[in-house]
DNA sequence: AAGTGGTCTAGACCACCTG
DNA sequence: AGGTGGTCTAGACCACTTG
């Protein structure tokens, strides 16, 4: 492990255990460099990590301070706002299953070509899945994914988790995701599969997910029963 | 301006203008250091900036690459997923006004004490505002804010933007925000003020907003007409 | 083995805040 | 003026990937 990560871990623990005064500043960088027998640059990389984690902040000419919401943060189980997919989110807490309503290989339409940056000739998977939480249907997920990334997409994979398949079998990493969240009245499918009554709305999430190398990997729309799911986001201000 | 920021700006422009091959790697760090007549550490800080912006990524032993979604990104006006409040979001595009339905100074209840990290004795403002976009009501915002941060909260401020007041008058900076987004059936107030029919849902956002120093500054619930507003988020994976 | 990025050093000077 | 963090240097060695 890199030295600056070790140092960051040590300082993080001290902060969480209250070993540093919550009011006053942290020891100055020069002192920390002496204590950890390293250079100031290395200390700065460690502090930079903790800054991105939202634990501390620095002000030029004043010092480095602990954010006062640190105690509140430890109550939330929110590490970072990272996309994990539905399956992993509920791991261990409940059983998640999927019915595959559609799994088709076809050519993309104009919108899909644009969103997934594909040529007319590059095929996509068009997959619709009904997802169950503890045997109760809670969302319908409609995904368009480029065939060139996924290769052979079997029902076995779809029944489990596409994200698991991506990371473990294809060894690809998720990068950025753009999501648009809105509320909507239930449509015909929602009423049929999610058993929504006309007055029971859905929460709709339309997202484009990119791999770490920037290739678009999924363009999807998911509709959740309003009483079975909400989205949590953490937005960091500028550092 | 810092040298590494200048260099980052130069490289960013080159990438956006297509001066670097989209397939191959960027010039190696040593070459860039020579070109910009600087040290490798400074080049690394510049590249680090572009990495956090989602423009490039590096792989140890291979090189630094341009993400292939760069062209798609420039279509979106999304720089970073920063919270700006409703007023600024629509600046110039439409007129935003507020009716103040309630503006009360009182003591916090147990939930508010916890969310805002307040003592029983510290007063809060309890504000309900009906927001109009081009004279049409589109959301109801219910905010609880600590009086010790805001000082005197006049109706003049509330009619405009609290976030503007924070930044410009109080010189405080927004830090992190936690938000929970869900869909809901319209309640009595939604039906009265947003003119929702029973089958017209609302998009609800419950958020806790912290200042840069970690003090909680707002605990609020906003309900939007489903056909007037959606939330867009950008989630970065791990770098 | 060669070439890439990742980390680290031991200094230095600058920018900013506070008394 | 003194003390803080912010930036920068000119090297060095390490970790990883590729031919």
């Amino acid at each position: 492990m890199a030295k600056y990560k070790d140092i960051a871990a040590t300082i993080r623990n001290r902060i969480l255990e209250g070993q540093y005064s919550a009011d006053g500043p942290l020891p100055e960088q020069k002192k920390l460099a002496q204590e950890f027998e390293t250079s100031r640059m290395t200390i700065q990389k460690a502090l930079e990590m903790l800054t991105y984690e939202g634990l501390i902040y620095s002000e030029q000419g004043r010092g480095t301070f602990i954010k006062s919401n640190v105690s509140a943060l430890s109550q939330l189980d929110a590490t970072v706002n990272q996309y994990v997919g539905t399956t992993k989110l509920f791991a261990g807490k409940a059983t998640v299953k999927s019915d595959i309503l559609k799994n088709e290989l076809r050519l993309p339409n104009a919108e899909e070509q644009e969103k997934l940056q594909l040529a007319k000739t590059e095929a996509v998977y068009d997959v619709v899945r009904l997802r169950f939480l503890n045997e109760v249907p809670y969302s319908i997920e409609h995904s368009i994914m480029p065939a060139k990334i996924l290769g052979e997409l079997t029902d076995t994979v779809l029944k489990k988790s596409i994200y698991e398949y991506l990371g473990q079998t294809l060894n690809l990493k998720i990068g950025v995701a753009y999501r648009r969240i809105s509320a909507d009245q239930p449509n015909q499918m929602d009423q049929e599969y999610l058993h929504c009554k006309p007055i029971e709305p859905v929460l709709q999430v339309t997202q484009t997910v990119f791999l770490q190398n920037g290739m678009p990997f999924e363009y999807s729309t998911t509709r959740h029963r309003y009483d079975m799911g909400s989205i949590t986001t953490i937005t960091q201000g500028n550092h």
Side-chain angles (χ1 to χ4, degrees), chain A:
Chain A
M1 176 113 90
K3 189 188 279 191
Y4 77 93
K5 287 180 186 167
D6 280 335
I7 295 175
T10 302
I11 297 178
R12 185 188 302 112
N13 284 337
R14 288 184 185 169
I15 290 173
L16 295 177
E17 287 174 10
Q19 292 185 33
Y20 289 128
S21 150
D23 304 323
L26 255 53
E28 65 207 75
Q29 296 177 358
K30 212 160 44 172
K31 290 268 170 59
L32 289 172
Q34 284 169 18
E35 183 199 336
F36 289 100
E37 298 181 310
T38 185
S39 67
R40 232 185 99 206
M41 288 285 319
T42 302
I43 293 295
Q44 282 181 315
K45 282 197 84 167
L47 295 179
E48 188 190 28
M49 271 192 82
L50 301 180
T51 301
Y52 274 111
E53 288 174 17
L55 218 57
I56 60 174
Y57 66 102
S58 298
E59 289 188 18
Q60 196 168 36
R62 296 221 312 132
T64 300
F65 302 86
I66 300 174
K67 291 197 181 182
S68 69
N69 58 342
V70 164
S71 56
L73 290 190
S74 48
Q75 291 170 19
L76 296 159
D77 59 338
T79 46
V80 187
N81 186 16
Q82 193 189 351
Y83 193 72
V84 287
T86 323
T87 311
K88 199 172 174 188
L89 217 55
F90 293 110
K93 298 176 192 164
T95 57
V96 177
K97 282 189 198 163
S98 301
D99 270 5
I100 299 164
L101 303 186
K102 181 182 186 181
N103 180 13
E104 201 180 295
L105 188 62
R106 60 168 174 79
L107 294 176
N109 65 30
E111 184 192 4
E112 291 156 3
Q113 286 171 42
E114 189 202 322
K115 296 284 187 187
L116 296 173
Q117 297 168 42
L118 292 175
K120 270 186 253 186
T121 57
E122 296 176 302
V124 294
Y125 285 105
D126 180 341
V127 175
V128 179
R129 294 188 291 173
L130 177 61
R131 317 218 61 162
F132 295 85
L133 184 63
N134 288 332
E135 317 296 333
V136 181
Y138 75 97
S139 73
I140 299 176
E141 194 174 318
H142 187 176
S143 306
I144 311 293
M145 294 167 286
K148 65 177 176 186
I149 293 181
L150 287 166
E152 190 81 20
L153 193 56
T154 63
D155 280 16
T156 317
V157 169
L158 289 177
K159 288 248 180 196
K160 296 174 70 181
S161 163
I162 295 179
Y163 283 88
E164 217 171 281
Y165 174 65
L166 254 196
Q168 297 185 1
T169 307
L170 300 179
N171 201 27
L172 295 172
K173 286 173 194 163
I174 299 295
V176 70
Y178 295 85
R179 288 190 244 181
R180 223 178 85 130
I181 306 161
S182 55
D184 197 9
Q185 299 176 329
N187 61 25
Q188 207 61 48
M189 274 189 83
D190 302 328
Q191 299 189 29
E192 182 177 343
Y193 290 103
L194 300 177
H195 310 312
C196 289
K197 293 173 193 153
I199 59 160
E200 294 180 324
V202 293
L203 182 67
Q204 173 173 301
V205 180
T206 299
Q207 65 178 7
T208 308
V209 182
F210 296 84
L211 298 176
Q212 196 202 45
N213 67 11
M215 287 174 62
F217 140 73
E218 180 189 39
Y219 174 53
S220 70
T221 298
T222 305
R223 292 167 74 90
H224 300 263
R225 271 192 67 93
Y226 83 106
D227 52 2
M228 293 190 68
S230 61
I231 312 288
T232 303
T233 72
I234 305 175
T235 305
Q236 288 281 350
N238 284 334
H239 295 290

